[in-house]
Amino acid sequence: MGSEFDCCSSEGVILGVDGGATSTVCVCMPLLPFSDHRHFPDPLPILARAVAGCSNYNSVGENAARETLEQVMAEALSKAGLNHSVVRAVCLGISGVNHPTDQEMFLNWIRHIFPGHVKIHVENDAVAALASGTMGKLHGCVLIAGTGCIAYGFRDDGREARAAGAGPVLGDWGSGYGIAAQGLTAIVRAHDGRGPETMLTNCVLETLHLSSPDEIIGWTYADSSWARIAALVPEVVSCAEAGDQIANDILNNAVQELGMSVKAVVQRLQLAGEDGNGSFPVVMVGGVLEANKIWDIGKEVINSILKTYPGASPIRPKVSVLYLVFCSN
């Protein structure tokens, strides 16, 4: 869906944009005639890479998201010593693209930047993440847990399903935002007597350079950025590793939510077959799933998935380049 191209040209360059609620990355690559997703050059021929801020319009608004995309693509081309005229295709994997109307909006934005012959493809960032782990083949399930979270799955027959990814207001509690927000809530509850004391109080106050839990309320609502809240995940993890029960419970809840999201997608698509023992890839992407010294959220999520679906094959991508999405369509 959202496609305006076929991967056939061997001239010019493509731009791949991976946009999330924390950062947006654009890579510029030559458009090579890959015919088999199993035979990509290693390493991939990246001409330039640029990084900018959030491009999830649900988080920062349409104007800011559009400006970020324009900025990051222009910077990537500039670093490569190229201009817009050499671009043959643009692929965007953007968090917050949840409906055809979202795709149309992004397509229109990009169409105003590049000439009419440039092919454009817009997907949710989960599609690009899955392709990065399966080398372009859209089959299996991907779990993204960064500032936000989503589980997304595909079958070989084209059917797809998703779970979570609806944003913090609708309860993506396994996300970085969800973990950090629960940490902040625990501090407020401890302060006013509704909850038990927690190491999170001193840890977060020190990190934010605040003197009292009362100041957390003002700090929280001073800036609505999801990424700003999610940046406190390391404090929750460090307190859990130090033995704080409240922080430990928050992380356990996140593991349960993330595992549940994957299981919901696998069940809806029957990726594990009728008996639940079939094999399928589970691509794991995002800062929340990266290993920590003691509390390894990603490892715990994998263990949770394997208890229900022993044939699941966890994959941590070696590449995160959106070129793979082109060759999977």
Side-chain angles (χ1 to χ4, degrees), residues 181-229:
Q182 289 178 78
L184 291 172
T185 300
I187 295 171
V188 173
R189 289 176 61 85
H191 181 60
D192 65 21
R194 289 178 295 146
E197 294 298 318
T198 170
M199 294 170 59
L200 288 165
T201 300
N202 290 334
C203 183
V204 171
L205 289 179
E206 181 178 349
T207 298
L208 300 180
H209 306 292
L210 302 178
S211 58
S212 166
D214 289 323
E215 298 178 57
I216 286 180
I217 299 173
W219 178 89
T220 300
Y221 294 107
D223 184 341
S224 61
S225 167
W226 300 347
R228 179 170 172 265
I229 302 296

Side-chain angles (χ1 to χ4, degrees), residues 98 124 126 141-144 148-153 160-167 170-172 257-269:
N98 301 312
N124 186 282
C141 184
V142 61
L143 174 65
I144 299 179
C149 65
I150 187 172
Y152 213 114
E160 57 189 81
R162 58 177 286 172
L170 298 177
D172 286 347
E257 286 287 334
L258 294 172
M260 193 183 309
S261 297
V262 172
K263 294 172 188 177
V265 168
V266 173
Q267 182 176 16
R268 287 168 61 188
L269 294 179

Side-chain angles (χ1 to χ4, degrees), residues 95-300:
S95 67
V97 173
N98 301 312
H99 188 270
T101 57
D102 298 326
Q103 290 177 310
E104 191 63 28
M105 177 177 68
F106 279 90
L107 284 169
N108 289 335
W109 290 354
I110 305 305
R111 180 55 61 214
H112 284 296
I113 301 173
F114 295 97
H117 68 271
V118 175
K119 307 302 182 181
I120 303 172
H121 187 78
V122 180
E123 289 284 3
N124 186 282
D125 61 338
V127 178
L130 177 60
S132 73
T134 60
M135 294 306 288
K137 184 178 181 181
L138 293 183
H139 170 75
C141 184
V142 61
L143 174 65
I144 299 179
T147 298
C149 65
I150 187 172
Y152 213 114
F154 286 86
R155 284 178 57 97
D156 290 333
D157 61 10
R159 284 191 291 159
E160 57 189 81
R162 58 177 286 172
V169 175
L170 298 177
D172 286 347
W173 300 124
S175 68
Y177 181 99
I179 292 171
Q182 289 178 78
L184 291 172
T185 300
I187 295 171
V188 173
R189 289 176 61 85
H191 181 60
D192 65 21
R194 289 178 295 146
E197 294 298 318
T198 170
M199 294 170 59
L200 288 165
T201 300
N202 290 334
C203 183
V204 171
L205 289 179
E206 181 178 349
T207 298
L208 300 180
H209 306 292
L210 302 178
S211 58
S212 166
D214 289 323
E215 298 178 57
I216 286 180
I217 299 173
W219 178 89
T220 300
Y221 294 107
D223 184 341
S224 61
S225 167
W226 300 347
R228 179 170 172 265
I229 302 296
L232 293 174
V233 168
E235 278 62 48
V236 179
V237 173
S238 65
C239 288
E241 292 180 341
D244 185 78
Q245 188 59 51
I246 300 299
N248 192 68
D249 288 345
I250 291 172
L251 296 187
N252 277 320
N253 288 339
V255 168
Q256 183 178 3
E257 286 287 334
L258 294 172
M260 193 183 309
S261 297
V262 172
K263 294 172 188 177
V265 168
V266 173
Q267 182 176 16
R268 287 168 61 188
L269 294 179
Q270 290 190 309
L271 292 176
E274 293 185 1
D275 62 0
N277 293 317
S279 62
F280 60 93
V282 180
V283 179
M284 310 281 284
V285 177
V288 169
L289 301 175
E290 294 176 359
N292 297 290
K293 293 179 180 178
I294 300 174
W295 231 113
D296 189 335
I297 298 175
K299 180 179 178 181
E300 294 302 321

